[in-house]
Amino acid sequence: MDRSRTLTPPLVILALLLTLGTFYTQFFVYGEDYLAESESGRQRAVIGRAAPSPRQYRVLAAWLIEGLERAGRALGVSTPTPAFLVARVLQNLAIFLLAALWYRRLIGPQPSRIAWGLIFLAWGMSYAFRDGGLDFSVYFSAILCLLAALAVSSGRDLWIIPITLAAALNRATAFVIPLAYLACRFRRPIGPRSPGAKALLVFSLSLSLWLGVFLGLRLHFGWKPLDRVWLQRPGL
């Protein structure tokens, strides 16, 4: 086993504790009534094709929650709240573990500095849910961007293609992943077997997937009116 790519048990335990801490903070702020009504209403709108743009096209999180809800109903759970809680715990844990791996990749095996990085990350996350709901798609964006960064830094360029596909199902801003990949990998000169040629191929496939999903979702669900929950118009 390559220990340079693994986390020490204390860091894993810290990630678990921070996951539970951020989860408890969010649950304490919102409460079960909010999750069972407001958050569930957003979920039902996306599944029922009644959500405004762009929420209607952010289907990755909605599909995950729907799967967890169905699993809960099969086990006799009558409320959707446990599905939201399980999803948030899994997302928070994934973010902390992937962030720890990314910090280790950046600074090497320095557990104390990585631990402080995770603590500051948890502190920042405590401000990430004020008046915005649980916003599962934002957390998935963080997870997928961390996965992309780890894939590029470990030389697993082909992983950018499925990561971009998942990210495109999550939010339209997924196009930044192939762009960032190309910025990291593109090299001159371009030849049939050059690193630059491989980077262009991975970039082209990833961006094509993103464009296909972007257009496909809008063709499948139809054009939806813009969500103006804050009564603001888009643009400058």
Side-chain angles (χ1 to χ4, degrees), residues 138-159:
V138 173
Y139 285 65
F140 270 129
S141 288
I143 291 169
L144 292 165
C145 286
L146 284 167
L147 283 173
L150 288 168
V152 173
S153 63
S154 61
R156 296 172 178 171
D157 293 21
L158 292 180
W159 279 99

Side-chain angles (χ1 to χ4, degrees), residues 40 43-44 64-74 80 83-84:
S40 181
Q43 168 70 10
R44 297 269 65 80
L64 171 66
I65 301 298
E66 181 68 12
L68 291 173
E69 285 188 23
R70 291 184 180 184
R73 288 195 293 270
F84 298 132

Side-chain angles (χ1 to χ4, degrees), residues 1-12 96-115 117-118 146 150 153:
M1 178 184 296
D2 185 358
R3 295 186 179 276
S4 66
R5 297 185 179 182
T6 60
L7 298 176
T8 60
L11 284 176
V12 174
F96 285 120
L97 291 176
L98 290 172
L101 288 171
W102 178 239
Y103 296 157
R104 185 182 179 89
R105 187 66 54 83
L106 291 176
I107 65 175
Q110 302 186 50
S112 61
R113 294 178 66 184
I114 294 173
L118 294 181
L146 284 167
L150 288 168
S153 63

Side-chain angles (χ1 to χ4, degrees), residues 41-178:
R42 293 190 181 98
Q43 168 70 10
R44 297 269 65 80
V46 175
I47 296 299
R49 300 187 174 198
S53 175
R55 279 195 291 118
Q56 180 60 68
Y57 311 119
R58 297 171 179 174
V59 295
L60 183 66
W63 289 347
L64 171 66
I65 301 298
E66 181 68 12
L68 291 173
E69 285 188 23
R70 291 184 180 184
R73 288 195 293 270
L75 295 174
V77 179
S78 59
T79 174
T81 301
F84 298 132
L85 303 184
V86 170
R88 180 41 39 89
V89 168
L90 293 176
Q91 285 187 320
N92 285 8
L93 180 59
I95 288 173
F96 285 120
L97 291 176
L98 290 172
L101 288 171
W102 178 239
Y103 296 157
R104 185 182 179 89
R105 187 66 54 83
L106 291 176
I107 65 175
Q110 302 186 50
S112 61
R113 294 178 66 184
I114 294 173
W116 277 111
L118 294 181
I119 290 170
F120 282 121
L121 174 61
W123 174 65
M125 287 172 65
S126 69
Y127 294 94
F129 54 88
R130 305 290 180 182
D131 301 322
L134 294 179
D135 233 339
F136 292 102
S137 65
V138 173
Y139 285 65
F140 270 129
S141 288
I143 291 169
L144 292 165
C145 286
L146 284 167
L147 283 173
L150 288 168
V152 173
S153 63
S154 61
R156 296 172 178 171
D157 293 21
L158 292 180
W159 279 99
I160 294 298
I161 298 172
I163 290 172
T164 301
L165 175 60
L169 292 169
N170 185 56
R171 293 176 79 98
T173 51
F175 69 88
V176 301
I177 291 178

Side-chain angles (χ1 to χ4, degrees), residues 164 174-176 178-179 201-212:
T164 301
F175 69 88
V176 301
L179 288 177
L201 177 61
V202 172
F203 166 76
S204 300
L205 290 174
S206 300
L207 195 64
S208 297
L209 272 177
W210 170 82
L211 183 61

